[in-house]
Structures are given as structure tokens and as C-alpha cells.
Amino acid sequence: MATTSSSLTEERELLIHPIVPESVAHNTKTVSDIRNLTSSLFGIAAGILGLESYVGFLFYILGTTFVSLLMVGLLARGEGGVGRYFKGGLWEILSLEVVGGMSGFILTWTLFLGLVRM
């Protein structure tokens, strides 16, 4: 009986606030673009600062966490919170494209580290 009650609540919520696939795709693409841009910027900063090894990766993790918290903070101010903009809620923002952005980070990190060291 409890599962029927929760499924009715979910169904009612979807009728009141429908999920539009185009909006979900747009929001996901926007977060992905922000991640890729900030990953490259963090790579440039790490290269210019001359960070190497684990310190450079720690810089990336801290920077990515900061950007995630900033996005969550900005979205949580609106009505409905994060769940209104992303189907997966908070977890989708925190985990989306974190590993995918690392390739851009490493590329720009090594490029600028090499340019600064020369």
C-alpha cells in the first residue's frame, strides 16, 4: 500500500511540475559547458602556479567542488531548489562531467606548466 501511495504522489508531482526533455537536455549541456570551461581555467592556473603531482590534482578537486557548491548555491536560491532544474537533483550537479573535465584540465595544465618552465 505504501508503494502505491508514493507512486501516486510522484505522479501528482509530475502532473503539477512536468519534466520537459528539452529543458533537461539544456540544463545538462549548460552544466557540462561550465565544467569544461572551468576545468581548462583550473588547468591554466595550476600550470602558471607550477603545481605538480598530487598538489595539481588536489587543486582540480577543490576547484571543481567550489564550482559545484557555487552552482548549487545559485540554484537553491530560486523557488523549487535544485530539483526543479535537474531530474537527478543535487547529485546530478555534483557528479556531472567531473571526470570528463579532467582531460581538459590535464591538457591545459601540462601545456602551461611547460610554457612557464621553459
Side-chain angles (χ1 to χ4, degrees), residues 9-62:
T9 306
E10 263 184 51
E11 187 175 330
R12 184 179 312 134
E13 184 65 29
L14 285 175
L15 288 173
I16 295 171
H17 302 289
I19 296 174
V20 181
E22 292 84 15
S23 297
V24 171
H26 177 274
N27 293 341
T28 304
K29 184 181 180 318
T30 301
V31 170
S32 177
D33 291 345
I34 290 171
R35 290 263 189 232
N36 288 330
L37 177 67
T38 56
S39 293
S40 295
L41 292 175
F42 290 142
I44 292 169
I48 290 173
L49 292 172
L51 303 178
E52 296 179 351
S53 190
Y54 294 116
V55 177
F57 285 110
L58 182 64
F59 182 76
Y60 173 73
I61 291 169
L62 291 175

Side-chain angles (χ1 to χ4, degrees), residues 24-107:
V24 171
H26 177 274
N27 293 341
T28 304
K29 184 181 180 318
T30 301
V31 170
S32 177
D33 291 345
I34 290 171
R35 290 263 189 232
N36 288 330
L37 177 67
T38 56
S39 293
S40 295
L41 292 175
F42 290 142
I44 292 169
I48 290 173
L49 292 172
L51 303 178
E52 296 179 351
S53 190
Y54 294 116
V55 177
F57 285 110
L58 182 64
F59 182 76
Y60 173 73
I61 291 169
L62 291 175
T64 303
T65 303
F66 174 73
V67 169
S68 296
L69 293 176
L70 189 63
M71 284 191 286
V72 168
L74 291 174
L75 291 175
R77 288 183 358 186
E79 61 181 72
V82 178
R84 180 174 182 194
Y85 302 103
F86 294 94
K87 188 175 182 181
L90 181 64
W91 178 249
E92 188 171 349
I93 291 179
L94 295 177
S95 65
L96 186 69
E97 290 290 322
V98 171
V99 177
M102 192 175 288
S103 61
F105 169 77
I106 292 172
L107 180 71

